[in-house]
Amino acid sequence: MKSITESSKNNVILFPKTAQYYEEELARLLRKEQYSDAMQLLAYLLQFPGVDPVKQEQWGALQQWLLTMFPEVAFPQSESLEEEAGEIESDFVRQAIREKSAVDQGEFTAKLQQMLVQGTLEQQVNALEQMAFLDQPELGPFVTGWLTERPRHPHIQFKALQTLRRIGEQGTIALPKNGQQVLLDIEDTPISPEDFPSRIRDMIRRIGDISEISQPDFVYFASQTWQEFLAYAYGTPLYAELAQAEESAVDVWASALHIILQEKLFGMSVREELLDNYGIVDGMTLPWKRAYNTLQAFVKQFSPDPG
C-alpha cells in the first residue's frame, strides 16, 4: 500500500466503526498468515492522526513483531520472483498435503469431506483449498454433488468451482444460485483476478486511478469487495452483462462501488465530486442508479456494517 499524502491525511478521519472494520480485516489476514498484506494495512492505519493512543501502541507493537518474525514482508520481491516463490510455495503445500493424505490412508480426505459438509464457511473454504492439492478421483464427484445439492453461499460456490477446475474436472455443471438454476463450464472458472474478462478487470483498475492521489489505499478494500461481488454474480446474466459491457460501463460500475464503499467505511462520500471525476454525465444516470442499487443490495446482504 502507498502512504497517505499530507493533504489527504488531514482530511480523512478514522471513525470508530471504520477502525473496527479494519481491525477485523487485520485479524482475518493474520489468521490466514497473509503477513505482507497485514503489514501494509498496519502501515496504513498508523498514518492516521488523532487515533486512540492505546490502539496506536497496539498496532505499532504488532508491526514490530511482524518485522521481527517475518522480515521479508518489509522487502517486497520483484514480480517475477514473487511468482516463482508462489509456485514453489504451492509445490511444497501440495507435497505436504498429499503426504499427509497418504499417511492417514484416506482419513485425511474423509476429514476434509466432513469439514466441507458440516463446517463453518471458513472451514469449508479451508477444506476446498486443501482438496485442490489432492490427486484423488473421488473428490471431483464428491465436491460436485455437494455443490449442486442445494443453494450455497456465493463465495463458497465460487471457491468450489475453482477447486473442481484445479483438480482437473471438466464439463458443464448446473447449480442453484441467486434464486435460479445456472449452467457453468468448470474449465472456464477464473482462478485468479487476471483470469476475469478485461472489462471486469478495468472496473477495479479505474477505482485505483481515481483514488491514487487522495486515498491511495482505498483500492485494496475495493478490490476485495469487487472479488466477492464477482463470486456472487458469476454465472448469472449480471456477470455476462459485466463481461460484455461497453467501455462507458467501466466508469458507471467503478464510481458506484467507490461511492458505496466510502459511505460504508467513512459514513459519507462526496458523491457529486466523485461522479464528476468518473465522468458520469446525465445520460448515464439510469445505468448508474441500477449499478449503485445492485452493489448496495449486495453489500448490505453479504458485508453488513461491523458492530
Side-chain angles (χ1 to χ4, degrees):
M1 290 185 181
K2 301 174 184 177
S3 61
I4 304 175
T5 61
E6 287 301 321
S7 59
S8 62
K9 184 189 295 185
N10 296 328
N11 294 330
V12 179
I13 299 174
L14 193 63
F15 294 104
K17 182 183 291 188
T18 309
Q20 182 181 349
Y21 174 87
Y22 284 159
E23 286 192 317
E24 291 176 356
E25 176 65 14
L26 181 61
R28 186 190 69 82
L29 292 172
L30 293 173
R31 283 197 306 270
K32 295 179 72 68
E33 299 183 1
Q34 294 177 281
Y35 299 125
S36 179
D37 289 339
M39 192 68 182
Q40 293 180 65
L41 177 54
L42 283 168
Y44 175 58
L45 292 173
L46 286 168
Q47 295 176 88
F48 283 96
V51 175
D52 181 354
V54 175
K55 284 190 179 296
Q56 276 198 326
E57 184 177 352
Q58 291 173 345
W59 293 340
L62 180 57
Q63 183 186 54
Q64 188 59 45
W65 180 81
L66 286 171
L67 281 171
T68 302
M69 299 300 296
F70 309 99
E72 66 274 11
V73 302
F75 305 99
Q77 299 171 298
S78 69
E79 185 174 346
S80 59
L81 289 177
E82 284 181 342
E83 291 176 357
E84 182 179 349
E87 292 174 0
I88 294 173
E89 181 180 359
S90 294
D91 289 340
F92 277 122
V93 172
R94 181 181 294 105
Q95 180 180 352
I97 290 176
R98 288 181 177 177
E99 287 177 355
K100 184 172 180 58
S101 176
V103 169
D104 289 348
Q105 297 180 347
E107 291 183 14
F108 180 69
T109 302
K111 289 178 182 178
L112 292 181
Q113 291 174 327
Q114 183 179 14
M115 190 185 303
L116 181 62
V117 172
Q118 301 179 355
T120 64
L121 180 63
E122 187 172 347
Q123 289 171 334
Q124 290 175 332
V125 170
N126 187 25
L128 287 168
E129 288 178 345
Q130 294 186 69
M131 286 179 181
F133 289 106
L134 294 176
D135 185 16
Q136 297 185 7
E138 70 271 19
L139 283 178
F142 179 84
V143 174
T144 299
W146 174 86
L147 178 59
T148 57
E149 178 185 22
R150 62 180 176 84
R152 308 284 180 183
H153 189 289
H155 177 74
I156 200 70
Q157 281 184 328
F158 190 66
K159 179 62 69 174
L161 287 168
Q162 290 180 318
T163 295
L164 288 173
R165 180 183 169 185
R166 284 191 168 107
I167 62 179
E169 292 294 300
Q170 295 183 344
T172 302
I173 186 171
L175 65 151
K177 181 168 186 173
N178 301 345
Q180 56 187 312
Q181 195 81 356
V182 298
L183 293 175
L184 297 166
D185 291 326
I186 295 173
E187 55 267 37
D188 291 340
T189 306
I191 296 295
S192 68
E194 290 71 29
D195 290 339
F196 286 95
S198 59
R199 279 286 184 263
I200 288 176
R201 299 197 307 269
D202 288 343
M203 291 169 185
I204 200 63
R205 288 173 181 164
R206 185 75 171 117
I207 292 180
D209 293 340
I210 293 294
S211 63
E212 184 175 9
I213 296 177
S214 61
Q215 291 177 305
D217 304 278
F218 182 79
V219 70
Y220 172 81
F221 299 98
S223 296
Q224 287 190 316
T225 303
W226 187 240
Q227 289 301 314
E228 292 168 2
F229 175 71
L230 293 177
Y232 160 79
Y234 186 71
T236 68
L238 173 59
Y239 181 84
E241 176 188 330
L242 291 171
Q244 301 165 10
E246 297 180 356
E247 188 173 354
S248 61
V250 172
D251 288 322
V252 167
W253 285 89
S255 59
L257 180 61
H258 195 148
I259 289 171
I260 286 171
L261 288 183
Q262 277 206 340
E263 292 170 348
K264 176 180 172 62
L265 295 175
F266 306 118
M268 59 173 293
S269 70
V270 189
R271 180 176 296 197
E272 294 303 322
E273 180 180 332
L274 282 172
L275 291 176
D276 184 62
N277 289 341
Y278 278 96
I280 305 300
V281 296
D282 290 343
M284 302 162 73
T285 300
L286 287 179
W288 186 88
K289 286 183 177 179
R290 176 174 174 269
Y292 178 88
N293 290 335
T294 300
L295 287 166
Q296 187 180 53
F298 163 77
V299 169
K300 284 185 177 180
Q301 181 178 359
F302 294 104
S303 184
D305 289 335

